[in-house]
Amino acid sequence: MLLESVVRTIYPPACVLCGHPTEADFGLCGTCWSDADFLDGAVCMGCGAPVPGPSDAADLVCEDCHRIARPWHRGRAVARYSGSVRKMILSLKHGDRAEMARAAGPMLARVAAALPVGDAPAIVPVPLHWTRMLKRRFNQSALLAQAMAGRLPGAVYAPDALVRVRRTVSLEGQGRDERFATLQDAIRPHPRQAGVLAGRSVLIVDDVMTSGATLAAATEAAHAAGATQVCVLVLARVVKDT
């Protein structure tokens, strides 16, 4: 306890983004927190995008989810892909700032609690192809899923349940149909690790949702592994300006 007090005196808690003082480690200061556009209130039941309607409605559907059949049961996003949450994701993904996942864990857990995932869901990150893992050295979705899973009582963290069997080209700049075509059959159940999903509710975690093509491929793989129900959760949702 004395050592912890000394460490806190020398290295007081600071915001993971700007370095300003905070009350706890691995958190955001008030300014950075207010810069996050959290997706609460009236949101789409399929992807978490904001939609018109009463804030307590559970069956609202956005324009995208009306046009695209989602293979998952429910989907949510913590925040819009903008402001401080966008900075967190870019710092995690391209800046080797693993502490961003620890900061995002409580945010993800709070939203996960509103999803119908049951008492003992399997928490599954969207997988990276091994060549990208070798280059990046970590899977940002796995770090986010792990940080959240420890805050959900009864949850089983299953980082290797799915595998990306084909290295796909970057989705940046591709249209919706191109993205879905690119991801077709790219993700499958792991031949030795996917058994944990059989007969279980599954929550798939990723950093950002744009079209939903990657999450759809992962959901189909989870169903192929025997999952009874699949929900998806992302830290940020790319939302069209209206």
Side-chain angles (χ1 to χ4, degrees):
M1 189 69 72
L2 177 60
L3 179 59
E4 181 180 349
S5 179
V6 171
V7 170
R8 281 185 168 271
T9 300
I10 300 174
Y11 302 106
C15 176
V16 294
L17 281 177
C18 70
H20 286 174
T22 57
E23 293 184 1
D25 292 319
F26 304 105
L28 299 179
C29 68
T31 299
C32 290
W33 184 270
S34 63
D35 190 42
D37 190 356
F38 292 110
L39 292 173
D40 297 315
V43 295
C44 173
M45 64 182 243
C47 70
V51 290
S55 60
D56 58 349
D59 56 355
L60 301 174
V61 180
C62 72
E63 182 181 340
D64 281 350
C65 291
H66 268 301
R67 293 200 312 264
I68 306 170
R70 306 295 192 191
W72 56 80
H73 178 58
R74 292 283 188 274
R76 284 293 304 271
V78 172
R80 189 186 297 256
Y81 185 59
S82 63
S84 58
V85 171
R86 180 176 182 272
K87 293 175 186 175
M88 289 175 65
I89 291 171
L90 293 177
S91 295
L92 171 63
K93 198 169 183 176
H94 303 298
D96 290 342
R97 298 281 305 280
E99 67 271 24
M100 297 299 169
R102 293 187 63 175
M107 303 178 190
L108 288 160
R110 176 183 66 85
V111 178
L115 287 168
V117 294
D119 296 328
I123 310 300
V124 180
V126 168
L128 275 183
H129 191 264
W130 70 267
T131 55
R132 286 215 167 91
M133 177 73 85
L134 193 64
K135 181 178 180 180
R136 190 176 293 169
R137 303 188 307 281
F138 64 90
N139 177 358
Q140 73 278 358
S141 299
L143 293 180
L144 291 169
Q146 184 177 30
M148 181 199 67
R151 295 174 174 272
L152 297 179
V156 175
Y157 177 51
D160 301 318
L162 303 180
V163 61
R164 195 176 292 237
V165 297
R166 178 164 49 84
R167 176 166 179 165
T168 55
V169 298
S170 172
L171 300 181
E172 188 172 352
Q174 291 190 13
R176 183 190 66 202
D177 293 343
E178 291 176 294
R179 287 171 179 256
F180 278 86
T182 297
L183 269 297
Q184 187 173 6
D185 295 326
I187 299 175
R188 295 179 185 172
H190 192 289
R192 293 184 299 277
Q193 305 293 333
V196 70
L197 306 187
R200 188 188 294 271
S201 178
V202 172
L203 178 58
I204 294 176
V205 179
D206 204 1
D207 54 351
V208 182
M209 175 180 174
T210 303
S211 67
T214 303
L215 289 164
T219 298
E220 288 165 358
H223 281 306
T228 57
Q229 178 178 279
V230 179
C231 292
V232 300
L233 174 63
V234 295
L235 182 56
R237 173 76 163 101
V238 175
V239 178
K240 292 177 291 187
D241 291 329
T242 57

